[in-house]
Coordinates of all heavy atoms in Angstrom, one line a residue:
A1 N -41.7 -14.8 23.0 CA -40.8 -14.3 24.1 C -41.7 -13.8 25.3 O -42.8 -13.4 25.1 CB -40.0 -13.1 23.6
K2 N -41.1 -13.8 26.4 CA -41.8 -13.3 27.6 C -40.9 -12.4 28.4 O -39.7 -12.5 28.3 CB -42.4 -14.4 28.4 CG -41.3 -15.3 29.1 CD -42.0 -16.4 29.9 CE -41.0 -17.4 30.4 NZ -41.5 -18.5 31.2
M3 N -41.5 -11.5 29.1 CA -40.8 -10.7 30.1 C -41.1 -11.1 31.5 O -42.2 -11.6 31.8 CB -41.2 -9.2 29.9 CG -40.9 -8.6 28.5 SD -39.1 -8.3 28.3 CE -38.9 -6.8 29.3
I4 N -40.1 -11.0 32.4 CA -40.3 -11.4 33.7 C -40.5 -10.1 34.6 O -39.6 -9.2 34.6 CB -39.1 -12.2 34.3 CG1 -38.8 -13.4 33.3 CG2 -39.2 -12.6 35.7 CD1 -39.8 -14.4 33.3
L5 N -41.5 -10.1 35.3 CA -41.9 -8.9 36.2 C -41.4 -9.3 37.6 O -41.8 -10.3 38.1 CB -43.4 -8.7 36.2 CG -43.9 -7.6 37.1 CD1 -43.3 -6.2 36.6 CD2 -45.4 -7.6 37.0
C6 N -40.6 -8.4 38.2 CA -40.1 -8.6 39.5 C -41.0 -7.8 40.5 O -41.9 -7.1 40.0 CB -38.6 -8.3 39.7 SG -37.6 -9.4 38.7
D7 N -40.6 -7.8 41.7 CA -41.4 -7.1 42.7 C -41.7 -5.6 42.4 O -40.8 -4.9 41.9 CB -40.8 -7.1 44.1 CG -40.8 -8.5 44.7 OD1 -41.6 -9.3 44.3 OD2 -40.0 -8.7 45.7
I8 N -42.9 -5.2 42.7 CA -43.2 -3.8 42.7 C -43.6 -3.5 44.1 O -44.5 -4.0 44.6 CB -44.4 -3.5 41.7 CG1 -44.0 -3.8 40.3 CG2 -44.8 -2.0 41.9 CD1 -45.2 -3.6 39.3
Y9 N -42.8 -2.7 44.8 CA -43.1 -2.4 46.2 C -42.9 -0.9 46.4 O -41.9 -0.3 46.0 CB -42.1 -3.2 47.1 CG -42.3 -2.9 48.5 CD1 -43.3 -3.5 49.3 CD2 -41.5 -1.9 49.2 CE1 -43.5 -3.2 50.6 CE2 -41.7 -1.6 50.5 CZ -42.7 -2.2 51.2 OH -42.9 -1.9 52.5
F10 N -43.9 -0.4 47.1 CA -43.8 1.0 47.6 C -44.2 1.1 49.0 O -45.0 0.3 49.5 CB -44.8 1.9 46.8 CG -44.5 2.0 45.3 CD1 -45.2 1.3 44.4 CD2 -43.6 2.9 44.9 CE1 -45.0 1.4 43.1 CE2 -43.3 3.0 43.6 CZ -44.0 2.3 42.6
E11 N -43.5 2.0 49.7 CA -43.9 2.2 51.1 C -45.3 2.6 51.2 O -45.9 3.2 50.2 CB -43.0 3.4 51.7 CG -41.5 3.0 51.8 CD -41.3 1.9 52.8 OE1 -41.9 1.8 53.9 OE2 -40.4 1.1 52.6
P12 N -46.0 2.3 52.3 CA -47.5 2.6 52.4 C -47.9 4.0 52.0 O -48.9 4.2 51.4 CB -47.8 2.3 53.9 CG -46.8 1.3 54.3 CD -45.5 1.6 53.5
Q13 N -47.1 5.0 52.3 CA -47.6 6.4 52.0 C -47.6 6.7 50.5 O -48.1 7.7 50.1 CB -46.7 7.4 52.7 CG -45.3 7.5 52.3 CD -44.4 6.6 53.2 OE1 -44.8 5.6 53.7 NE2 -43.1 7.0 53.3
Y14 N -46.9 5.8 49.7 CA -46.9 6.0 48.3 C -47.8 5.0 47.5 O -47.7 4.9 46.3 CB -45.4 5.8 47.8 CG -44.5 6.9 48.4 CD1 -43.6 6.5 49.3 CD2 -44.6 8.2 48.0 CE1 -42.7 7.4 49.9 CE2 -43.8 9.1 48.6 CZ -42.8 8.7 49.5 OH -42.0 9.7 50.1
R15 N -48.6 4.3 48.2 CA -49.6 3.4 47.6 C -50.9 4.0 47.3 O -51.3 5.0 47.9 CB -49.8 2.2 48.5 CG -48.5 1.4 48.7 CD -48.8 0.2 49.7 NE -47.5 -0.4 50.0 CZ -47.3 -1.3 51.0 NH1 -48.4 -1.7 51.6 NH2 -46.1 -1.8 51.2
N16 N -51.6 3.4 46.3 CA -52.9 3.8 45.9 C -53.0 5.3 45.4 O -54.0 6.0 45.6 CB -53.9 3.6 47.1 CG -54.0 2.2 47.5 OD1 -54.1 1.3 46.6 ND2 -53.8 1.9 48.8
I17 N -51.9 5.7 44.8 CA -51.9 7.1 44.2 C -51.5 7.0 42.7 O -51.3 8.0 42.1 CB -51.1 8.1 44.9 CG1 -49.6 7.6 45.0 CG2 -51.6 8.3 46.3 CD1 -48.7 8.7 45.6
G18 N -51.4 5.8 42.1 CA -51.2 5.7 40.7 C -49.8 5.4 40.3 O -49.5 5.2 39.1
I19 N -48.8 5.4 41.2 CA -47.4 5.2 40.8 C -47.2 3.8 40.3 O -46.5 3.6 39.3 CB -46.5 5.5 42.0 CG1 -46.6 7.0 42.4 CG2 -45.0 5.2 41.6 CD1 -45.9 7.3 43.7
G20 N -47.7 2.8 41.0 CA -47.5 1.4 40.6 C -48.2 1.1 39.2 O -47.6 0.5 38.4
T21 N -49.4 1.7 39.0 CA -50.0 1.5 37.7 C -49.2 2.1 36.6 O -49.0 1.5 35.5 CB -51.4 2.1 37.7 OG1 -52.2 1.5 38.8 CG2 -52.1 2.0 36.4
R22 N -48.7 3.3 36.8 CA -47.9 4.0 35.8 C -46.6 3.2 35.5 O -46.2 3.0 34.4 CB -47.5 5.4 36.2 CG -46.8 6.2 35.2 CD -47.6 6.5 34.0 NE -46.8 7.2 33.1 CZ -46.6 6.9 31.8 NH1 -47.3 5.9 31.2 NH2 -45.8 7.6 31.0
L23 N -45.9 2.7 36.6 CA -44.7 1.9 36.4 C -45.0 0.6 35.6 O -44.3 0.3 34.7 CB -44.2 1.6 37.8 CG -42.9 0.7 37.8 CD1 -41.7 1.5 37.2 CD2 -42.6 0.3 39.3
L24 N -46.1 0.0 35.9 CA -46.5 -1.2 35.2 C -46.8 -0.9 33.7 O -46.4 -1.6 32.8 CB -47.7 -1.9 35.9 CG -48.1 -3.3 35.4 CD1 -46.9 -4.2 35.6 CD2 -49.3 -3.8 36.2
E25 N -47.5 0.2 33.5 CA -47.7 0.6 32.1 C -46.5 0.8 31.3 O -46.3 0.4 30.1 CB -48.5 1.9 32.1 CG -50.0 1.8 32.5 CD -50.7 3.1 32.7 OE1 -50.0 4.2 32.7 OE2 -51.9 3.1 32.9
L26 N -45.5 1.5 31.9 CA -44.2 1.7 31.3 C -43.5 0.3 31.0 O -42.9 0.1 29.9 CB -43.3 2.6 32.1 CG -43.7 4.0 32.2 CD1 -42.9 4.8 33.2 CD2 -43.6 4.7 30.9
F27 N -43.5 -0.6 32.0 CA -42.9 -1.9 31.8 C -43.6 -2.7 30.6 O -43.0 -3.3 29.8 CB -43.1 -2.7 33.1 CG -42.5 -4.1 33.0 CD1 -41.1 -4.3 33.0 CD2 -43.3 -5.2 32.8 CE1 -40.5 -5.5 32.9 CE2 -42.7 -6.5 32.7 CZ -41.4 -6.6 32.8
E28 N -45.0 -2.6 30.6 CA -45.7 -3.3 29.5 C -45.4 -2.7 28.1 O -45.2 -3.4 27.2 CB -47.2 -3.2 29.8 CG -47.6 -4.1 31.0 CD -49.0 -4.0 31.3 OE1 -49.8 -3.2 30.7 OE2 -49.4 -4.7 32.3
K29 N -45.3 -1.4 28.1 CA -44.9 -0.7 26.8 C -43.5 -1.2 26.3 O -43.4 -1.5 25.2 CB -44.9 0.8 27.0 CG -44.6 1.6 25.8 CD -44.6 3.1 26.0 CE -44.2 3.8 24.7 NZ -44.0 5.2 24.9
R30 N -42.6 -1.2 27.2 CA -41.2 -1.7 26.9 C -41.3 -3.1 26.5 O -40.6 -3.6 25.5 CB -40.3 -1.4 28.0 CG -38.8 -1.8 27.8 CD -38.2 -1.1 26.6 NE -38.2 0.3 26.7 CZ -37.2 1.1 27.0 NH1 -36.1 0.6 27.3 NH2 -37.4 2.4 27.0
S31 N -42.1 -3.9 27.1 CA -42.2 -5.4 26.8 C -42.7 -5.5 25.4 O -42.2 -6.4 24.6 CB -43.2 -6.1 27.8 OG -42.7 -6.0 29.1
I32 N -43.7 -4.7 25.0 CA -44.2 -4.8 23.6 C -43.1 -4.4 22.6 O -42.9 -5.0 21.6 CB -45.4 -3.9 23.5 CG1 -46.6 -4.5 24.3 CG2 -45.8 -3.7 22.0 CD1 -47.8 -3.5 24.5
E33 N -42.4 -3.3 23.0 CA -41.3 -2.9 22.1 C -40.2 -4.0 21.9 O -39.6 -4.1 20.8 CB -40.6 -1.6 22.7 CG -41.5 -0.4 22.6 CD -40.9 0.8 23.4 OE1 -39.8 0.7 24.0 OE2 -41.6 1.8 23.4
Y34 N -40.0 -4.8 22.9 CA -39.1 -5.9 22.8 C -39.7 -7.2 22.1 O -39.0 -8.2 21.9 CB -38.5 -6.3 24.2 CG -37.5 -5.4 24.7 CD1 -37.5 -5.1 26.1 CD2 -36.6 -4.7 23.9 CE1 -36.6 -4.2 26.7 CE2 -35.7 -3.8 24.5 CZ -35.7 -3.6 25.8 OH -34.8 -2.7 26.4
G35 N -41.0 -7.1 21.8 CA -41.6 -8.2 21.1 C -42.2 -9.3 22.0 O -42.5 -10.4 21.5
A36 N -42.3 -9.0 23.3 CA -42.8 -10.0 24.2 C -44.3 -10.3 23.9 O -45.0 -9.4 23.5 CB -42.6 -9.6 25.7
K37 N -44.7 -11.5 24.1 CA -46.1 -12.0 24.0 C -46.8 -12.2 25.3 O -48.0 -12.3 25.4 CB -46.1 -13.2 23.1 CG -45.5 -13.1 21.8 CD -46.3 -12.1 20.9 CE -45.7 -12.0 19.5 NZ -46.2 -10.8 18.8
Q38 N -46.0 -12.2 26.4 CA -46.5 -12.4 27.7 C -45.6 -11.8 28.8 O -44.4 -11.7 28.5 CB -46.9 -13.9 28.0 CG -45.7 -14.8 28.0 CD -46.0 -16.2 28.2 OE1 -46.9 -16.5 29.1 NE2 -45.4 -17.1 27.5
I39 N -46.2 -11.5 29.9 CA -45.5 -11.0 31.0 C -45.8 -12.0 32.2 O -47.0 -12.3 32.4 CB -45.9 -9.6 31.4 CG1 -45.5 -8.6 30.3 CG2 -45.2 -9.2 32.8 CD1 -46.0 -7.2 30.5
V40 N -44.8 -12.5 32.9 CA -45.0 -13.4 34.0 C -44.2 -12.9 35.2 O -43.1 -12.3 35.1 CB -44.4 -14.8 33.6 CG1 -44.6 -15.8 34.8 CG2 -45.1 -15.4 32.4
G41 N -44.9 -13.0 36.3 CA -44.2 -12.5 37.6 C -44.6 -13.4 38.8 O -45.7 -13.9 38.8
S42 N -43.6 -13.5 39.6 CA -43.9 -14.2 40.9 C -44.3 -13.2 41.9 O -43.8 -12.1 42.0 CB -42.6 -14.9 41.4 OG -42.2 -15.9 40.5
L43 N -45.3 -13.6 42.7 CA -45.9 -12.7 43.7 C -45.0 -12.8 45.0 O -44.7 -13.9 45.4 CB -47.3 -13.1 44.0 CG -48.3 -12.8 42.9 CD1 -49.6 -13.4 43.2 CD2 -48.3 -11.4 42.5
S44 N -44.8 -11.7 45.6 CA -44.0 -11.6 46.8 C -45.0 -11.7 48.0 O -46.1 -11.2 47.9 CB -43.2 -10.3 46.9 OG -42.6 -10.2 48.1
D45 N -44.5 -12.2 49.1 CA -45.3 -12.2 50.4 C -45.0 -11.0 51.2 O -45.3 -11.0 52.4 CB -45.1 -13.5 51.1 CG -45.9 -14.6 50.5 OD1 -46.9 -14.4 49.8 OD2 -45.5 -15.8 50.8
V46 N -44.3 -10.0 50.7 CA -43.9 -8.8 51.5 C -45.2 -8.2 52.1 O -46.1 -7.9 51.4 CB -43.2 -7.8 50.6 CG1 -43.0 -6.5 51.3 CG2 -41.9 -8.3 50.1
D47 N -45.2 -8.1 53.3 CA -46.2 -7.5 54.2 C -47.6 -8.0 53.9 O -48.6 -7.4 54.1 CB -46.2 -6.0 54.1 CG -46.7 -5.3 52.9 OD1 -47.2 -6.0 52.0 OD2 -46.7 -4.1 52.8
T48 N -47.8 -9.3 53.4 CA -49.1 -9.8 53.2 C -49.8 -10.2 54.5 O -50.9 -10.6 54.6 CB -49.1 -11.0 52.3 OG1 -48.2 -12.0 52.8 CG2 -48.8 -10.6 50.9
D49 N -49.0 -10.1 55.6 CA -49.6 -10.4 56.9 C -50.4 -9.1 57.5 O -51.1 -9.2 58.4 CB -48.6 -10.8 57.9 CG -47.4 -9.8 58.1 OD1 -47.2 -9.1 57.1 OD2 -46.8 -9.8 59.2
I50 N -50.2 -8.0 56.8 CA -50.9 -6.8 57.2 C -52.3 -6.9 56.6 O -52.5 -7.3 55.5 CB -50.2 -5.5 56.6 CG1 -48.8 -5.4 57.3 CG2 -51.0 -4.3 56.9 CD1 -47.9 -4.4 56.6
P51 N -53.4 -6.6 57.4 CA -54.7 -6.7 56.9 C -54.9 -6.0 55.6 O -54.5 -4.9 55.4 CB -55.6 -6.1 58.0 CG -54.7 -6.3 59.3 CD -53.3 -6.2 58.8
N52 N -55.6 -6.6 54.7 CA -55.9 -6.1 53.4 C -54.8 -6.0 52.4 O -55.0 -5.7 51.2 CB -56.7 -4.8 53.5 CG -58.0 -4.9 54.2 OD1 -58.7 -5.9 54.0 ND2 -58.3 -3.9 54.9
S53 N -53.5 -6.2 52.8 CA -52.4 -6.1 51.9 C -52.5 -7.0 50.7 O -52.2 -6.7 49.6 CB -51.1 -6.2 52.6 OG -50.7 -5.1 53.3
R54 N -52.7 -8.3 51.0 CA -52.8 -9.3 50.0 C -54.0 -9.0 49.0 O -53.9 -9.0 47.8 CB -53.0 -10.7 50.5 CG -53.0 -11.8 49.5 CD -53.1 -13.2 50.1 NE -52.0 -13.4 51.0 CZ -51.0 -14.3 50.8 NH1 -51.1 -15.1 49.8 NH2 -50.1 -14.4 51.7
L55 N -55.1 -8.6 49.6 CA -56.3 -8.2 48.8 C -55.9 -7.0 47.9 O -56.3 -7.0 46.7 CB -57.5 -7.9 49.7 CG -58.7 -7.4 49.0 CD1 -59.3 -8.5 48.1 CD2 -59.8 -7.0 50.0
L56 N -55.3 -6.0 48.4 CA -54.9 -4.8 47.6 C -53.9 -5.2 46.5 O -54.0 -4.7 45.4 CB -54.3 -3.7 48.5 CG -55.3 -3.0 49.4 CD1 -54.5 -2.1 50.4 CD2 -56.3 -2.2 48.6
R57 N -52.9 -6.1 46.9 CA -52.0 -6.5 45.9 C -52.7 -7.3 44.7 O -52.5 -7.0 43.6 CB -50.9 -7.4 46.5 CG -49.9 -8.0 45.5 CD -49.2 -9.2 46.1 NE -50.1 -10.3 46.2 CZ -49.8 -11.5 46.8 NH1 -48.6 -11.6 47.3 NH2 -50.6 -12.4 46.8
D58 N -53.5 -8.2 45.1 CA -54.2 -9.0 44.1 C -55.1 -8.1 43.3 O -55.2 -8.3 42.0 CB -55.0 -10.1 44.8 CG -54.1 -11.2 45.4 OD1 -52.9 -11.1 45.3 OD2 -54.6 -12.0 46.1
S59 N -55.8 -7.2 43.9 CA -56.7 -6.3 43.1 C -55.9 -5.4 42.1 O -56.4 -5.2 41.0 CB -57.5 -5.4 44.1 OG -58.3 -6.1 44.9
F60 N -54.8 -5.0 42.5 CA -53.9 -4.2 41.6 C -53.6 -5.0 40.3 O -53.8 -4.5 39.2 CB -52.6 -3.9 42.3 CG -51.5 -3.3 41.4 CD1 -51.6 -2.0 41.0 CD2 -50.5 -4.1 41.0 CE1 -50.6 -1.4 40.2 CE2 -49.5 -3.5 40.2 CZ -49.6 -2.2 39.8
Y61 N -53.2 -6.3 40.4 CA -52.9 -7.0 39.2 C -54.2 -7.4 38.4 O -54.2 -7.3 37.2 CB -52.2 -8.3 39.6 CG -50.7 -8.0 40.0 CD1 -50.3 -8.1 41.3 CD2 -49.8 -7.6 39.0 CE1 -49.0 -7.8 41.7 CE2 -48.5 -7.3 39.4 CZ -48.1 -7.4 40.7 OH -46.8 -7.1 41.0
I62 N -55.3 -7.7 39.1 CA -56.5 -7.9 38.4 C -57.0 -6.7 37.6 O -57.3 -6.8 36.4 CB -57.6 -8.4 39.3 CG1 -57.3 -9.8 39.9 CG2 -59.0 -8.4 38.7 CD1 -58.1 -10.3 41.0
K63 N -56.9 -5.6 38.3 CA -57.3 -4.3 37.6 C -56.5 -4.0 36.4 O -56.9 -3.4 35.4 CB -57.1 -3.1 38.6 CG -57.4 -1.7 38.1 CD -57.1 -0.7 39.1 CE -55.6 -0.4 39.0 NZ -55.1 0.8 39.8
N64 N -55.2 -4.5 36.4 CA -54.3 -4.2 35.3 C -54.3 -5.4 34.2 O -53.4 -5.4 33.4 CB -52.9 -3.9 35.8 CG -52.9 -2.5 36.4 OD1 -52.9 -1.5 35.6 ND2 -52.9 -2.4 37.7
G65 N -55.2 -6.3 34.3 CA -55.4 -7.3 33.3 C -54.6 -8.6 33.5 O -54.5 -9.4 32.6
Y66 N -54.1 -8.9 34.7 CA -53.3 -10.0 35.0 C -54.2 -11.2 35.5 O -55.2 -10.9 36.2 CB -52.2 -9.7 36.0 CG -51.1 -8.9 35.3 CD1 -51.2 -7.6 35.1 CD2 -49.9 -9.5 34.9 CE1 -50.2 -6.8 34.5 CE2 -48.9 -8.8 34.3 CZ -49.1 -7.4 34.1 OH -48.1 -6.7 33.5
S67 N -53.8 -12.4 35.2 CA -54.4 -13.6 35.8 C -53.5 -14.2 36.8 O -52.3 -14.1 36.6 CB -54.8 -14.6 34.7 OG -55.7 -14.0 33.7
F68 N -54.0 -15.0 37.7 CA -53.2 -15.7 38.7 C -52.9 -17.1 38.3 O -53.8 -17.8 37.8 CB -53.9 -15.6 40.1 CG -53.9 -14.2 40.6 CD1 -54.9 -13.3 40.3 CD2 -52.9 -13.8 41.5 CE1 -54.9 -12.1 40.8 CE2 -52.8 -12.6 42.0 CZ -53.9 -11.7 41.7
I69 N -51.7 -17.6 38.6 CA -51.4 -19.0 38.4 C -51.0 -19.5 39.8 O -50.1 -19.1 40.4 CB -50.1 -19.1 37.5 CG1 -50.4 -18.4 36.2 CG2 -49.7 -20.6 37.4 CD1 -49.1 -18.3 35.3
N70 N -51.8 -20.4 40.3 CA -51.6 -21.1 41.6 C -51.4 -20.1 42.7 O -50.7 -20.4 43.7 CB -50.4 -22.0 41.5 CG -50.6 -23.1 40.6 OD1 -51.8 -23.6 40.4 ND2 -49.6 -23.6 39.9
Y71 N -52.0 -18.9 42.7 CA -51.9 -17.9 43.7 C -50.4 -17.4 44.0 O -50.2 -16.7 45.0 CB -52.5 -18.4 45.0 CG -54.0 -18.7 44.8 CD1 -54.4 -20.0 44.8 CD2 -54.9 -17.7 44.7 CE1 -55.7 -20.4 44.6 CE2 -56.3 -18.0 44.5 CZ -56.7 -19.4 44.5 OH -58.0 -19.7 44.3
T72 N -49.5 -17.9 43.2 CA -48.1 -17.5 43.5 C -47.5 -16.7 42.3 O -46.4 -16.1 42.5 CB -47.2 -18.7 43.8 OG1 -47.2 -19.6 42.6 CG2 -47.7 -19.5 45.0
K73 N -48.1 -16.7 41.2 CA -47.6 -16.0 40.0 C -48.8 -15.3 39.3 O -49.9 -15.7 39.4 CB -47.0 -17.0 39.1 CG -45.7 -17.6 39.6 CD -45.1 -18.5 38.5 CE -43.8 -19.1 39.1 NZ -43.0 -19.8 38.1
V74 N -48.4 -14.3 38.5 CA -49.3 -13.6 37.7 C -48.8 -13.7 36.2 O -47.6 -13.9 36.0 CB -49.5 -12.1 38.0 CG1 -50.2 -12.0 39.4 CG2 -48.2 -11.4 38.0
I75 N -49.8 -13.6 35.3 CA -49.5 -13.7 33.9 C -50.4 -12.7 33.1 O -51.6 -12.6 33.5 CB -49.5 -15.1 33.3 CG1 -49.0 -15.2 31.9 CG2 -51.0 -15.6 33.4 CD1 -48.8 -16.6 31.4
K76 N -49.9 -12.1 32.1 CA -50.7 -11.3 31.2 C -50.2 -11.6 29.8 O -49.0 -11.5 29.5 CB -50.5 -9.8 31.5 CG -51.4 -8.9 30.7 CD -51.3 -7.5 31.1 CE -52.3 -6.6 30.3 NZ -52.3 -5.2 30.8
Y77 N -51.1 -11.9 28.9 CA -50.8 -12.1 27.5 C -51.0 -10.7 26.8 O -51.9 -10.0 27.0 CB -51.7 -13.1 26.9 CG -51.5 -14.5 27.5 CD1 -52.3 -14.9 28.5 CD2 -50.4 -15.3 27.0 CE1 -52.1 -16.2 29.1 CE2 -50.2 -16.5 27.6 CZ -51.0 -17.0 28.6 OH -50.8 -18.2 29.2
I78 N -50.0 -10.4 26.0 CA -49.9 -9.1 25.4 C -50.6 -9.1 24.0 O -50.1 -10.0 23.2 CB -48.5 -8.5 25.3 CG1 -47.9 -8.4 26.7 CG2 -48.4 -7.2 24.5 CD1 -46.4 -8.1 26.7
N79 N -51.5 -8.3 23.8 CA -52.2 -8.2 22.5 C -51.6 -6.9 21.8 O -51.8 -5.8 22.3 CB -53.7 -8.1 22.6 CG -54.3 -9.3 23.2 OD1 -53.8 -10.4 23.0 ND2 -55.3 -9.1 24.0
E80 N -51.0 -7.1 20.7 CA -50.4 -5.9 20.1 C -51.4 -5.2 19.2 O -52.3 -5.7 18.8 CB -49.2 -6.4 19.2 CG -48.1 -6.9 20.1 CD -46.9 -7.3 19.3 OE1 -46.2 -6.4 18.7 OE2 -46.6 -8.5 19.2

């Protein structure tokens, strides 16, 4: 089974303070409880035209153990 991750978006003043990481941790915990073996999500282009936004978005997913599929999706395999 897999879980589908939708957009995680915060206004700029709420970024880089750990809220997204905590939200993702809760989602992953729930995914494990449901028996998922992987999490897949499509990447949004929301504000990627702002300098460093795409880099920050991509770094966020890499830091949290996700891999990229064709630069448009992320995937993480869950090890129980």
